[in-house]
């Protein structure tokens, strides 16, 4: 008989699945899996031996397994390559800030968006992650940090994949993560990054959960954005900006616009002027990100001078801007690079 995986089920789903047991058993099992990091029923010491043996016959706890770990020289960034039951692998990044531990998780295996500067999309989209698999990424890092008496403080959903094209699984994961029997994680400590899937942004607004929305712009006009991001042909700049403005108005939360600076492509003062113009009056901030070079892509970072000029122009034209601190230097910083290397090795 094929065993059923319990990891990723809500408490109500666990109670339904374990209907032959007292209800409190479901909560005990949820506590062990989500709060205490148990990966085996044998670990659940407040369950009788007979019950543990019965559960092992019927069920399993499938969590991602570590394939590779890379640590930056300054020890502030750790990148994990995690594999799921079918062998598909994704990257998770832990970043240690002054204000706490932030992690960046993936929502898909590969990506279908086709952004011209990105490593994540090089091998296309393999599949969506389930809610349980996404939660598994977070629990893995939480267990890793527990050994240091630390925890995950903030969550960024900005790894491989387009989160809003995996909307239902994403939403289930967010709600599960928020539950008191998992990590009781505040929605206000979560940022979701999207290329600008307008209908899904509207669905997110309707959910009325106070997460921060981050929208990838990377260009201040449609011609350049379409050249860099094929999704712009489906959801052009004006529609994306309108949805961002609506999100800010409906939620009261400032939208972040991500802007990857690419040397000689989108980093001039004229680009900054156009960007300031289209964002004028919005409740937003701009996160400037000097590009991490990818071997397969012929793009280079901007000069330090170009970055500072761009940053200064925005801030002196009433657009709140920051330059993202570099994390992960020397450990395949760009999303998707570690997974792509692993795929190459498996093919050789």
């Amino acid at each position: 008989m094929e065993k059923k995986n319990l990891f990723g089920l809500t408490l109500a789903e666990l109670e339904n699945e374990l209907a032959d047991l007292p209800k409190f058993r479901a909560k005990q099992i949820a506590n062990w899996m989500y709060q205490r990091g148990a990966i085996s029923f044998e670990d659940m010491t407040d369950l009788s031996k007979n019950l543990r043996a019965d559960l092992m016959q019927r069920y399993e706890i499938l969590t991602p397994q570590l394939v590779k770990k890379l640590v930056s020289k300054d020890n502030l960034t750790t990148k994990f390559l995690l594999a799921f039951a079918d062998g598909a692998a994704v990257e998770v990044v832990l970043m240690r800030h002054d204000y706490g531990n932030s992690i960046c998780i993936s929502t898909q295996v590969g990506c279908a968006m086709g952004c011209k500067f990105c490593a994540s999309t090089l091998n296309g989209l393999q599949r969506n992650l389930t809610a349980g698999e996404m939660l598994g990424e977070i629990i893995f890092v939480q267990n890793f940090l527990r050994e240091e008496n630390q925890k995950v403080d903030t969550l960024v959903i900005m790894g491989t994949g387009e989160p809003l094209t995996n909307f239902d699984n994403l939403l289930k994961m967010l709600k599960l993560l928020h539950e008191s029997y998992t990590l009781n994680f505040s929605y206000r400590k979560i940022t979701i990054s999207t290329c600008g899937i307008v209908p899904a942004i509207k669905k997110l607004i309707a959910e009325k959960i106070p997460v921060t929305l981050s929208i990838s712009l990377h260009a201040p006009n449609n011609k350049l954005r379409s050249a860099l991001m094929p999704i712009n042909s489906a959801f052009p700049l004006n529609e994306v900006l309108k949805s961002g403005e609506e999100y800010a108005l409906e939620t009261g939360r400032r939208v972040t616009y991500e802007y990857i600076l690419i040397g000689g492509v989108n980093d001039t003062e004229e680009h900054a002027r156009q960007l300031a113009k289209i964002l004028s009056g919005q409740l937003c901030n701009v996160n400037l990100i000097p590009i991490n070079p990818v071997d397969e892509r012929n793009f280079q970072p901007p000069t330090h001078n170009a970055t500072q000029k761009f940053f200064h122009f925005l801030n002196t034209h009433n657009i709140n801007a920051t330059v993202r601190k570099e994390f992960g230097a020397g450990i395949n910083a760009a999303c998707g690079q570690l997974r792509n290397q692993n795929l190459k090795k498996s093919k050789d």
Side-chain angles (χ1 to χ4, degrees), residues 117 218 228 260-267 289 291 299-302:
F117 47 81
H218 310 321
L228 294 174
I260 289 179
L261 287 166
I262 307 171
V265 175
N266 66 352
D267 64 339
I289 310 165
I291 192 170
F299 291 120
Q300 296 301 317

Side-chain angles (χ1 to χ4, degrees), residues 70-80 93-103 144-145 148 150 325-329 331:
L70 298 175
V71 182
S72 63
K73 289 181 180 179
D74 59 13
N75 205 39
L76 294 178
T77 308
T78 306
K79 179 173 274 197
F80 306 94
V93 182
L94 164 64
M95 295 159 285
R96 303 172 190 267
H97 301 274
D98 294 340
Y99 55 82
N101 297 307
S102 177
I103 66 168
F144 175 81
L145 287 170
E148 305 173 15
Q150 296 186 41
K325 179 181 177 183
E326 183 180 15
F327 279 88
I331 57 166

Side-chain angles (χ1 to χ4, degrees), residues 286-323:
V286 175
N287 190 13
L288 299 172
I289 310 165
I291 192 170
N292 283 308
V294 176
D295 290 343
E296 296 87 347
R297 306 295 197 186
N298 190 30
F299 291 120
Q300 296 301 317
T303 64
H304 177 74
N305 188 45
T307 300
Q308 290 305 307
K309 281 186 174 181
F310 204 104
F311 165 75
H312 181 73
F313 187 95
L314 293 180
N315 278 293
T316 55
H317 287 76
N318 301 314
I319 303 295
N320 183 47
T322 56
V323 178

